Structures are given as structure tokens and as C-alpha cells.
Amino acid sequence: GSESPLNGTDVLNATAAKFVATPEGTALAYGSLLFMALLPIFFGALRSVTCSKSKNSSDMPETITGRDAARFPIIASCTLFGLYLFFKVFSQEYINLLLSMYFFVLGILALAHTLSPLMAKVFPASIPIKQYQLLFTQGSGEAKEEVVNYEFDTKDLVCLVIGGVVGVWYVLKKHWVANNLFGLAFALNGVELLHLNNVCTGCILLGGLFVYDVFWVFGTNVMVTVARSFEAPIKLVFPQDLLERGMDASNFAMLGLGDIVIPGIFIALLLRFDISLKKNSRTYFYASFLAYIFGLGLTIFIMHTFKHAQPALLYLVPACIGFPVLVALIKGEVTEMFRWVRRPHPLHPKPRSLSISLSTAISSSHQRLGLPEGCLYGEVIGMNP
């Protein structure tokens, strides 16, 4: 059977007795996971800068305020416990069938949004670009309300078709490559479109989830139960037996998207802070990016040394906050860093609750579809075949 991590950013190496990962296989798996985690953070942060300046309503970021950040660990805990009770009461086959359909739609939209800037560059100029609109409304006359307003053009249509092919591949085969394509798209959308309004908010969010993570991983069996029952592309996976079995490998090391998106939105914030200083340097961005590599590397090292589950945010949060603050202390810019507030674009809507923001970022910037709040928190886990 397969185990899919959902909540609790922990590292666990639970390989079956019949398969012992070779040192080369393990090194390749965790090295690949670390590399894959860096892609959505790096490119998502760069795209968040463009996104913050965008005048296009479909590409507007969602702002996370201090109140949202403080509330989020409580909402995530309630969602996690709700899912735990749900899996106890109902058959997990039916739940996972519903989730497969749900993430099939979300994945296509997220992948299409991820590919759209690339498609804009490579799309042949000879092909005419037509505009399309998918509009669902409820009510009539003056009481008419928009439920879905999805605007797209020929380039977006090609992206949606590519996303659809990956989606069908994922639903039918649950192949790890298709899972990773969706996972990377979700993570990149999250980092690009979720904007913390200041560094204090970032510290509140990371601090709250640090406590949430440690409590649910070490304090109860809720995290493990939900993680093993939940099948959705909310983690990146890489087989430890790839060298022996090729693309049919089935003994996976995993990294949950929460370990990427949560530190990632803080790293993206620091890149925008760097740009606001107008000093033509990216000191804080690089400091936090290196901190992330150090934190995740340390998590994997400790897991491998002690052969015991480790919550990744236990190491990522102190590193991602500590490194940039240390740099600010050395440069004498601590006050400036903590006083800096992201000025919303005048066209941007008012900040919404984090639950709406998360769902927006994950589905795509165009489509306002919901994602259960607990769903971003995953684990790095060695999986039984």
C-alpha cells in the first residue's frame, strides 16, 4: 500500500525489511528532494516580485496579515483533527476518490498558471491569440453574483491541455513524476501568490507553525494517521530504489509542500524587502535561501543519524528567521527590516483571510477554489513499497 503524507513537517525513514536502500539511492533521493524544494522557492520568489507589480486582476497576490498568521495554526489544527475523525468514520477509498477528483482540477489550474509565462515566450507568433471567458453566475437581475469568472486565451488553453494530460496521467497511474509536477506547481503558486505584509507577520506565521508542527508530530498520533491515509499531490516524492528499478521504483522518500511553501513565502518577502532598499543587492534573499538549504539538510542529516522522525520546521524556522536577522544586525538594518511594510498596489483588493488566500494561490491566480487549510503541511518520509 502507499502512504501519503499530509500534515506535520517531519522526517521519517520507514523502509520495509524486504528493501534496504543503498547509500547511493538514499543520497540521490534526498539530494533530489532538496533540489526540487529549491526550485519553487527560487522561481516563486522571483515571480512574486513581478506579481506584486502586476496591474492584471487575475495575477494579484493575496496579502497575509498578522491576524491571519496568528489564526492559521489554530485553523490548521482544527482541519487536521477534523480529517483524522473523518478517516476514522468513513472509508478512506471514497475520501481519496473525492480528493483525486478535487486535486485533478486544482492541479490542472496550478500547472497551467505555472507554465503560462514560459508559454508566452515560446508560443508561435503566427498563431492568432483568441480571448475566452468562462463565467458562472447565480441569481438574476441586480441580485446576480459571479461564482466563477475565468478569463483565458489561446496560450492559456495550450497550458490547460498540458495540465490536463498530466492530470489524467496522475489520476490513472498515480505516477510519482506526475505527482511531482503537480506538487511543484502548487508550491510555486503558493510562494508567488501568497504575500506576507511584513517581516513581523512572517515571524508570527513561522513561529505559530513551528509550535503546531512539533505538537502534532510529537504529542499525538493524529498527524501520522492522517498522513498515511491521505492520497493527494501535496508532497514531492523521489524513489530510493531508482538506480535498481528505474521508473518503476516504489520505495519513496518524501517532502511535504508545507516545508516548501511556508518558509518560501518568508524568503520571497525578504527578496521584495531587498528590492525596496534600492541598494541593488539581494543580501537577505540569499541569506534566507542558504538558511533553507542548511535547515533542510540538517533535518535530513539528523533523521539519518538518529533514525527517528523529525519535524522539519523545527530546524527550518530558526534558520530562515535567524540567518536574515543576523545579517540585519551586522548591517545595522534591524529596525528598517521590522518596520518595512509591503504597500499593496492601489488596484489590489483588501487583504482577505489566509484560508481564502491559500486556496487562491494553490488553485491558480484566476480561479477562486478552496483547499482545506491543513493540506499544505507534509512530511519528509521514507515510504514502504
Side-chain angles (χ1 to χ4, degrees):
S2 66
E3 303 160 7
S4 302
L6 163 68
N7 288 350
T9 41
D10 63 314
V11 178
L12 173 64
N13 195 17
T15 47
K18 60 185 171 183
F19 173 80
V20 178
T22 60
E24 295 84 1
T26 304
L28 177 66
Y30 285 116
S32 300
L33 283 178
L34 180 57
F35 176 72
M36 282 194 291
L38 298 177
L39 293 175
I41 292 178
F42 188 82
F43 291 105
L46 292 178
R47 283 173 61 158
S48 81
V49 175
T50 313
C51 170
S52 66
K53 296 172 184 173
S54 173
K55 293 179 183 179
N56 182 354
S57 62
S58 66
D59 286 326
M60 286 181 185
E62 300 290 337
T63 304
I64 300 169
T65 64
R67 184 187 287 181
D68 294 328
R71 233 187 291 171
F72 188 64
I74 299 160
I75 297 168
S77 296
C78 294
T79 307
L80 176 65
F81 194 65
L83 282 168
Y84 172 76
L85 295 177
F86 215 69
F87 279 116
K88 288 286 184 189
V89 174
F90 299 101
S91 164
Q92 82 179 55
E93 282 75 24
Y94 292 122
I95 299 168
N96 281 323
L97 182 66
L98 282 170
L99 287 170
S100 287
M101 292 293 94
Y102 184 62
F103 281 98
F104 170 74
V105 176
L106 288 184
I108 291 171
L109 291 167
L111 199 56
H113 181 248
T114 301
L115 292 173
S116 60
L118 182 67
M119 188 59 66
K121 289 178 183 175
V122 301
F123 198 78
S126 56
I127 300 173
I129 294 171
K130 294 181 180 177
Q131 299 294 325
Y132 303 93
Q133 184 178 27
L134 185 65
L135 183 64
F136 285 102
T137 59
Q138 64 179 29
S140 59
E142 290 186 9
K144 187 184 282 189
E145 284 181 28
E146 285 184 7
V147 179
V148 173
N149 186 357
Y150 189 67
E151 294 179 13
F152 55 101
D153 58 24
T154 312
K155 297 194 294 287
D156 295 325
L157 205 56
V158 175
C159 294
L160 286 165
V161 169
I162 295 168
V165 171
V166 176
V168 171
W169 183 23
Y170 174 76
V171 168
L172 296 180
K173 301 288 184 185
K174 291 286 193 290
H175 197 277
W176 61 273
V177 175
N179 174 91
N180 285 353
L181 290 171
F182 273 173
L184 287 167
F186 285 144
L188 192 140
N189 274 278
V191 176
E192 177 189 357
L193 296 167
L194 286 176
H195 287 199
L196 295 159
N197 64 353
N198 58 47
V199 174
C200 289
T201 300
C203 293
I204 293 166
L205 182 67
L206 266 66
L209 290 170
F210 173 91
V211 175
Y212 158 92
D213 202 24
V214 174
F215 172 76
W216 287 110
V217 171
F218 289 144
T220 68
N221 73 332
V222 171
M223 193 74 81
V224 175
T225 305
V226 174
R228 293 183 194 282
S229 308
F230 197 93
E231 285 184 17
I234 44 122
K235 76 276 183 189
L236 301 180
V237 301
F238 201 91
Q240 297 182 59
D241 50 347
L242 181 74
L243 300 173
E244 291 86 359
R245 299 185 56 196
M247 294 296 276
D248 293 325
S250 57
N251 191 280
F252 295 104
M254 303 186 190
L255 175 64
L257 295 192
D259 295 334
I260 302 169
V261 175
I262 298 303
I265 59 176
F266 188 72
I267 293 168
L269 172 78
L270 292 173
L271 174 61
R272 296 193 298 276
F273 171 62
D274 271 324
I275 291 167
S276 78
L277 291 173
K278 295 183 171 61
K279 292 183 179 176
N280 207 23
S281 75
R282 303 288 179 267
T283 315
Y284 294 103
F285 172 65
Y286 291 128
S288 56
F289 195 72
L290 287 171
Y292 182 84
I293 298 171
F294 170 77
L296 197 56
L298 183 63
T299 313
I300 293 167
F301 172 75
I302 290 176
M303 174 277 300
H304 205 71
T305 306
F306 295 100
K307 302 283 187 282
H308 191 273
Q310 301 292 324
L313 289 184
L314 183 64
Y315 307 96
L316 288 171
V317 170
C320 289
I321 294 175
F323 277 44
V325 169
L326 192 63
V327 170
L329 278 168
I330 293 165
K331 294 180 75 177
E333 292 176 344
V334 176
T335 312
E336 208 170 339
M337 179 196 260
F338 281 90
R339 277 187 181 168
W340 178 74
V341 176
R342 173 185 166 265
R343 300 286 173 211
H345 192 283
L347 291 174
H348 288 188
K350 288 179 183 175
R352 303 192 219 183
S353 72
L354 183 54
S355 56
I356 297 172
S357 303
L358 280 168
S359 59
T360 307
I362 296 302
S363 59
S364 86
S365 67
H366 306 290
Q367 183 87 329
R368 271 37 174 173
L369 291 173
L371 179 68
E373 272 102 342
C375 285
L376 282 178
Y377 305 95
E379 350 180 319
V380 178
I381 180 172
M383 184 170 101
N384 296 336

